[in-house]
Amino acid sequence: MTKKGSIFNFFPDYLKIYPLATLSWLWVVVCPALGSAWILKNYQLLLAFDSLSWIAYLLFILIASLVMGLALLPTTLSAVISGFLLGWTGLPAIILAYSMANVIGYFLGKLFNSGLIELLEAKNPEFLNELEKRKSNEGKLIFFIRISPVIPFAISNFSFASLQVPLRQVLIYGIPGMLPRTILAFLAGILANDFLGAREKLNDPIQIGFVLLFLLISIWGIWVNWKKSKA
């Protein structure tokens, strides 16, 4: 119980010492929800997008990468928009945008939360040692964290950057981990007749079943790999 108490006491200290980190964490938690609410209210603006123009296509990739990287929209809704607006040509667009968003989110996390490891080393070296023991299984943990439907993209980006996980690892293992739920949301956008219908398709029993499956896989994978690397 002592270890747990020290961990929970660590975060208020960290946020006091690094107030910018407090604002950045609040941003990645709150902004995607606000962005989702705004886009659902003003979805008619999306219909003006010219999906036949290559310039518009490239512009979509750039905007999507910034929107996801800056945590303005969740990746799931971004994938729905991509499928709805671009059809199958939107699949490489959303994957490329997601990869670029990884880089943007990672470097922002590193910029705003650079002191986490140093403070952990000073205040809770035991917990830092536990993290170091998991280095050998880092890739698998990234994969299962990304496949989880309950760990937001922006929050995991900030976490990876704050814990100084190499960006190369995040991209190599994170992109495959994110693909299943991204493609699931993308298909919802393709199959819908209108944007609100696309959003509602995420509540389809089949979609919910897959989400639960991804959740179970991620919990199992994180737990197994965390325990395995403890030795």
Side-chain angles (χ1 to χ4, degrees), residues 40-148:
L40 289 172
K41 185 179 178 183
N42 300 280
Y43 69 92
Q44 295 93 342
L45 296 174
L46 297 173
L47 303 179
F49 188 85
D50 181 8
S51 60
L52 299 177
S53 161
W54 275 104
I55 294 176
Y57 186 83
L58 295 174
L59 186 62
F60 177 87
I61 294 173
L62 177 62
I63 292 173
S65 62
L66 288 172
V67 160
M68 291 187 287
L70 297 175
L72 300 177
L73 276 182
T75 53
T76 301
L77 189 55
S78 300
V80 169
I81 293 170
S82 179
F84 175 70
L85 291 179
L86 302 177
W88 285 110
T89 59
L91 186 56
I94 196 64
I95 292 173
L96 181 56
Y98 171 76
S99 304
M100 293 165 63
N102 257 294
V103 178
I104 295 169
Y106 180 90
F107 279 111
L108 286 176
K110 207 163 187 177
L111 176 66
F112 295 133
N113 298 284
S114 57
L116 181 61
I117 290 292
E118 289 76 9
L119 198 61
L120 265 177
E121 190 173 11
K123 298 218 167 202
N124 204 307
E126 297 87 0
F127 183 68
L128 185 59
N129 287 336
E130 287 295 312
L131 289 175
E132 288 297 322
K133 287 178 186 177
R134 272 77 184 181
K135 287 285 184 182
S136 60
N137 265 21
E138 200 170 59
K140 291 179 183 177
L141 286 170
I142 292 168
F143 175 84
F144 287 112
I145 286 170
R146 284 296 202 212
I147 207 173
S148 171

Side-chain angles (χ1 to χ4, degrees), residues 161-204:
S162 302
L163 295 172
Q164 297 180 9
V165 177
L167 176 61
R168 183 171 176 270
Q169 294 278 85
V170 175
L171 293 173
I172 289 173
Y173 295 97
I175 292 173
M178 192 70 181
L179 277 178
R181 57 187 174 122
T182 300
I183 292 174
L184 198 64
F186 178 81
L187 288 173
I190 284 183
L191 296 173
N193 294 323
D194 59 75
F195 182 70
L196 291 183
R199 182 65 183 85
E200 288 168 7
K201 277 188 178 293
L202 295 178
N203 297 320
D204 184 273

Side-chain angles (χ1 to χ4, degrees), residues 7-25:
I7 289 298
F8 287 120
N9 290 333
F10 161 80
F11 288 103
D13 292 340
Y14 174 67
L15 296 177
K16 281 179 190 175
I17 296 171
Y18 299 99
L20 196 56
T22 308
L23 295 175
S24 65
W25 282 107

